[in-house]
C-alpha cells in the first residue's frame, strides 16, 4: 500500500499530465485512512484557488459534515503558499507534511511564515522536506518542458 | 440602483439570516457590472474556506473562463483575512474596497499585511473603511445576539 506522500506524488504526476503545475495532496484521517486526495486543478476548474491543499481540505471537511481537521494530517508535495497556509488555521489542520521547500512562493517556512506568527490562532505540527527531491524533480521537469515548448513555439513564428 | 457596497451589505445581512458570520462581497467588472455576489457560506457548505470573498472571486473567474480579475473590483464588508488577502494575488484582483477594519483577524491592513510584503507578486489598489460603521454594526449585533443566546441556553440548564 502506498503511504501518504507516495499518493500525493502520484496526484502531482497526474496533475502534470493534465497540464497543471504538479502539486498533489492527500488528507489522512486520525487512523491514517485517506479522506481525500487531489492534484492542482487551477486550469481545469478555471479557479486560481483550486490548489491541491485547498481541494483536499474542503473535500475532507465536507465529508465529515463540517468537522474540522484537528485530528488529521495534510500531506502535500510542495510547501503551501500563503493562501493555503492561512487556510490551515480555518480548517484547524492538526499536522502538515510537505515535500519541497518553496523559498519564493511558500508561506509556511518562507515569506510570511503564517503558522508561526504571534497572532496565529492555530498552529499545526509541521514537517517539511519529506521526499523533497522527488517533489522538486517533478516541478523542475514540468517547468523545463514548459519553457522548451514556449521557446519552440516562439522560434516557429 | 444599489452600489457595490450596498449590495455587499445586503449579502452580509442575508448571511446573518442564515446563521453565518455577516460578511458579504460583490465582484464588479471593468464597467461596474456585478459579476458575482455572495455572503459567507461556511456553515451551509461545511467549508471553512467559503468566505464571501473567495466565493465571488471563484464565481467571477469561472464566469470569465479563467480570465483573472486585474480589471475588476472586489467589494467586501470586512477587511479580508490572510487566506482571502493571499488569494487576491492568485486571482490578480485589481482593486479592493472593504468596509470594517479587522485588527484581530485581518490580513490586509493588519497582521501579515500580505499585499504590502516585499515578496508580493501582485498588489491590488486597496481602499478600506467604506461604510465602515454599517459593516461593523452588522457584525457587532450578530455576535451580541449569539452571546445572549448562548448565555440563555447555559442558564436554562
Amino acid at each position: 500500500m502506498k503511504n501518504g506522500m507516495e499518493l500525493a506524488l502520484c496526484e502531482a504526476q497526474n496533475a502534470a499530465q493534465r497540464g497543471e503545475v504538479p502539486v498533489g495532496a492527500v488528507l489522512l484521517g486520525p487512523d491514517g485512512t485517506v479522506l481525500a486526495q487531489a492534484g492542482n486543478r487551477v486550469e481545469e476548474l478555471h479557479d486560481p484557488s483550486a490548489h491541491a491543499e485547498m481541494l483536499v481540505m474542503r473535500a475532507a471537511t465536507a465529508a465529515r459534515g463540517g468537522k474540522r481537521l484537528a485530528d488529521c494530517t495534510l500531506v502535500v508535495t510542495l510547501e503551501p503558499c500563503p493562501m493555503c497556509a492561512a487556510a490551515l488555521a480555518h480548517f484547524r489542520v492538526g499536522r502538515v507534511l510537505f515535500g519541497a521547500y518553496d523559498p519564493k512562493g511558500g508561506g509556511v517556512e518562507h515569506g510570511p511564515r503564517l503558522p508561526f506568527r504571534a497572532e496565529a490562532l492555530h498552529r499545526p505540527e509541521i514537517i517539511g522536506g519529506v521526499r523533497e527531491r522527488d517533489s522538486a524533480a517533478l516541478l523542475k521537469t514540468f517547468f523545463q518542458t514548459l519553457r522548451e515548448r514556449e521557446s519552440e513555439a516562439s522560434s516557429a513564428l
Side-chain angles (χ1 to χ4, degrees), chain A:
Chain A
M1 208 184 78
K2 286 192 163 74
N3 69 24
M5 188 54 86
E6 283 166 346
L7 276 178
L9 284 164
C10 285
E11 287 290 345
Q13 277 165 333
N14 295 344
Q17 296 290 328
R18 297 190 305 266
E20 303 274 355
V21 174
V23 179
V26 172
L27 213 310
L28 302 173
D31 58 355
T33 318
V34 175
L35 298 178
Q37 59 186 89
N40 256 342
R41 293 197 177 267
V42 166
E43 304 301 330
E44 180 189 343
L45 301 177
H46 295 314
D47 179 358
S49 75
H51 290 190
E53 303 94 307
M54 294 293 276
L55 296 177
V56 296
M57 288 189 286
R58 289 168 58 198
T61 306
R64 285 158 53 109
K67 193 184 169 202
R68 304 307 195 262
L69 307 171
D71 51 355
C72 298
T73 299
L74 170 68
V75 183
V76 55
T77 58
L78 181 67
E79 179 184 346
C81 76
M83 174 185 72
C84 296
L88 294 172
H90 291 315
F91 286 89
R92 308 276 190 280
V93 174
R95 201 158 69 120
V96 180
L97 261 68
F98 71 82
Y101 289 88
D102 188 358
K104 277 188 190 165
V108 173
E109 299 283 2
H110 295 93
R113 303 187 79 241
L114 292 172
F116 302 106
R117 289 185 57 89
E119 74 270 17
L121 294 174
H122 172 85
R123 185 172 302 170
E125 182 190 349
I126 291 166
I127 301 164
V130 182
R131 299 279 303 267
E132 183 179 359
R133 276 186 295 180
D134 300 303
S135 295
L138 271 175
L139 287 156
K140 199 178 163 188
T141 307
F142 178 81
F143 285 111
Q144 215 157 33
T145 311
L146 207 67
R147 275 195 300 272
E148 280 163 15
R149 280 190 198 153
E150 276 169 8
S151 145
E152 277 165 28
S154 68
S155 64
L157 288 177

